[in-house]
Amino acid sequence: MTETPVRYSREGDVALICIDNPPVNAIGQAVRTGLVASIDAFAGDPAAKIAVLYCAGRTFVAGADIREFGKPPQAPFLPDVIGKLEALDKPVLCVMHGTALGGGLELALGAHYRLGVPGLKIGLPETSLGILPGAGGTQRLPRLTGLEAALEMITSARHVPAKEALALGVIDGLADAGQDPLTAGLAHAHDLLAKGAGPRRICDMPAPSIAPDQLRDMRTRTAKRFAGQIAQLTAIDAAVGGAALPFRDGMQHERALFQTLMESPQRAALVHAFLAERKVAQLPELAGIAPRAFAQIGVVGGGRMGSGIAISALLAGLDVTLVERDAQAAAQAHQNVAQTLADSVKRGKLTDEGRARILAHQFRAADSYAALSDRDVVIEAVFEDMDIKREVFTQLDQHCKQGAILATNTSYLDIPQIAAMTSRPADVLGLHFFSPAHIMRLLEIVVPDKTGADVVATGFAFGKKLGKVSVRAGVCDGFIGNRILQVYRAVSDHMVLAGASPYAVDRAVTEFGFPMGPYAVQDLAGLDIGFMTRQRKAASRDPREFVARWADVMHARGWHGRKTGQGYYSYDADHPKGRPSPEVEEIIADERRAHGVTPREFSADEIVARYMAAMVNESARVVGEGIAARPLDVDVTLLHGYGFPRWRGGPMHWADAQGLGALLSQIEGFAREDAFFWQPAPLLQQLVRENLSFASLNS
Ligand code: TC6
C-alpha cells in the first residue's frame, strides 16, 4: 500500500481525487479517511469547480476491503463517505476503468456523473460474499435502472460489461478507446463545466416500484437458484423495502440488514472461500521461483479428458498439438475438439471467428510423438493402465526436448513410478484435471518428491493461464479430493448397510447443500468406474474394510447408472433425473440379511453428521500427512471439484465452525461401534488437545 492511498490535486479549475491503493484499490479505512480529506479539500477549494474521482493502477475500486470483514468496524464508514460525496454542492465526475465492483460501484453511484473507460466491468457482487451492497447500492442502483434490473445484478453478482452498463444508465458515457482515466476525466469534466452542469444526485431521484407478482416471481426464482443462502433474498428485502421509504430511511433499512448478514456464518464462509482460492497458489516453496515457458502445449490422448484439456489450453490462447495412436484416432480427436469449440460458440464463450482462428492456427492433431518435439508442456491423458503409461512416457522421453515438462493426468496411479520411467523425473508432475476439463475449475497439481520447484511453479502458472484454481497435492492414492471422496462414500455405504436408503442419504446431503448426493453422483459417473476401483484395490484392501457387494450385483446386471437407464435410480423419459428403485432396495436388503443386520432408522441430521464427520476426519489426515499443504487447500479442492456448498466454506472451515472438540467426541462415539473405520485423525486430536482450529494452520 502506498503511504497516501488518496491524493488530492488540482489542474486549473478541475480537482483531481485519485485513489491509489494497489493491487485493486480496495476501500479500507485509510482510503475512507483519505476520501473524506479529499472531499473536504475540494469543498474548501474555491478554485475547484468540478472534481474528477478516478483510480491509479490496473482497475477502479474492486470493492470494500474484504480483509476488514469480521473485524470491529472503524470510522469513517463507507455509506457516510459516499453520502458526503453526493451531498457536495459542486459536481463530481467519476471515471471508472477495469472493474468497478461492490463498494467501488457504490462510491461511483455517489458521484454525480459517471464515465466508463472501454473494457470496464461493473457489478455489485456482495451477495457472493454473503452480504449485500451496504453502502447505498440497494438504494441508489434501483433509482437508476429500475428494481428489476438492479435486483438481477445484485442477486446474480455478475460483472456487467460497459456497453450494458451504458444501456442500463449506470454510466453516462464511454471514453474514447485508448484514453486513460485521467485524460478522459479531464476532457469530460471540461465538457460538463462548459455545459454548466451542476450536482445530479441519485438520492433525489424518484424511488422505483415493482409489481407484486413480479416481485413474488423474482423471490421464488432467487430462493430456488440460491437455495440455502440468505444474502440474495435479504438484498431483495433491502432494495424493495427501501424503495418504499424516504431515501434516508431506506439507507438505514439497508444498513440494518447489511449488519445482520455481516455477522452471519455464511458471510464468514464465503469470504474464507474467496481468500482461500487466492491463497492456494501462494506456497513458500514457490517464492522467487520463475516458471518455465509454456506457450506450446502437447496433449496425449484425444478422449473426453484429453480433448477437454486441449480445449482449455486453446481457449486460453495457447498453441496445442494433440497426439493419438493412429491417423483415424487423431482425426476423431480433431473432430471432438472442433465440436466442443462449436458448442463453446453456442454457449457464447467464443466467437465464430475465434473458433476458426483456433482451428486454423492454434490446433493440430497428429499420430506421431515426433509432433511433440517442440512442446514446452505435454500432458498425458490416456487410459489408466501402468503399461500404457509406460509406453507413453518412454516415447515422450525420447521425443520431447530437454526442459519440456511431462505431466500425467492420472487420477490415482503412482506418479513417482511414472516419473521413473523417464530419464528426467525432476521434469515430471501430475496435472489432475476434472471432467469436463474445459469447464471444471479445479486442477490438482500433484508433486512427487523429485519434481523441480520451477516445474511446480510452471504448473501453477499454467493453471492460472487456463483460469483454473490450482491446488498443490502430495502423492497418495486419490491425491486430495478423490482420497477424501472415497471415505465419505464409504460412510454412506455403512449407513445404507445399517438401514438408511441410498435415497435418504442423497436427500440429506443435498439438503445440506451439495448439488447431488453420493449415489446420484455414482450413477452419473457410471457404476463401472466404481467397479474398476474396487477391483484395483482388492489385493491391497484391509480385510476389516466393508465393501458393499450390492454394487457388484448391480454391476453384474449391467446397471451402470444413467447411461444404462438403471443404477441406484431408474431413469426413463418421465424421470430423467431418476426415481428410487425398489429392486435396488431389495438387493441392499439381501446384503443386510447376509450380514445379520436389522435395519434401523436414520434421521437426516444423523446422516449429515456421519457424512461430514468422515469427510472432516479424512481431510485432517490429508493435511496431517502433508498431502494438502494447509486446511484451506482441502477446502478449495472440495469446493471446486466436489460440489461442497460454497456458503459453508469447505469441510475444514465448516469443522472449525462446529467446534473441533465436539466433532472429535462425535467421531470417538462412532468409533465405539466401528473402531476400524472411525479412527480419529492424529491432527484432529492434536488440535483439540492444543485448543486450536484448522484455520490456525492456514497462515
Ligand atoms: C463490498 O464491496 C462491500 C461493500 C459494502 C460495504 C459497506 N478487498 O482476484 P485477484 C485482492 S464487498 C481486499 O487475484 P484478478 C485479492 O485477495 C467486495 N482484497 O486478481 C488478491 O490479493 P493477493 C465486493 C481484494 O485480477 C489481489 O487483490 N467486491 C479485494 O484475478 C488480486 O486479486 C468483490 O467481491 C477486495 N475487495 O481479479 C470483488 N479484491 O494477491 C472481489 C481483490 O494478496 N475481487 N483483492 O492474493 C475480485 O473479484 C477480483 O479480485 C478482481 C480482480 C476481479 C477485482
Side-chain angles (χ1 to χ4, degrees), residues 23-24 58 62-67 102-103 106 125-126 129 274 278 282:
V24 294
R58 61 171 155 134
D65 190 337
I66 292 171
R67 289 163 213 271
E106 294 177 279
E126 283 95 334
L129 295 169
F274 176 88
R278 280 147 185 87
Q282 293 163 12

Side-chain angles (χ1 to χ4, degrees), residues 279-293:
K279 230 172 158 184
V280 275
Q282 293 163 12
L283 294 164
E285 72 195 69
L286 300 183
I289 306 280
R292 297 183 190 173

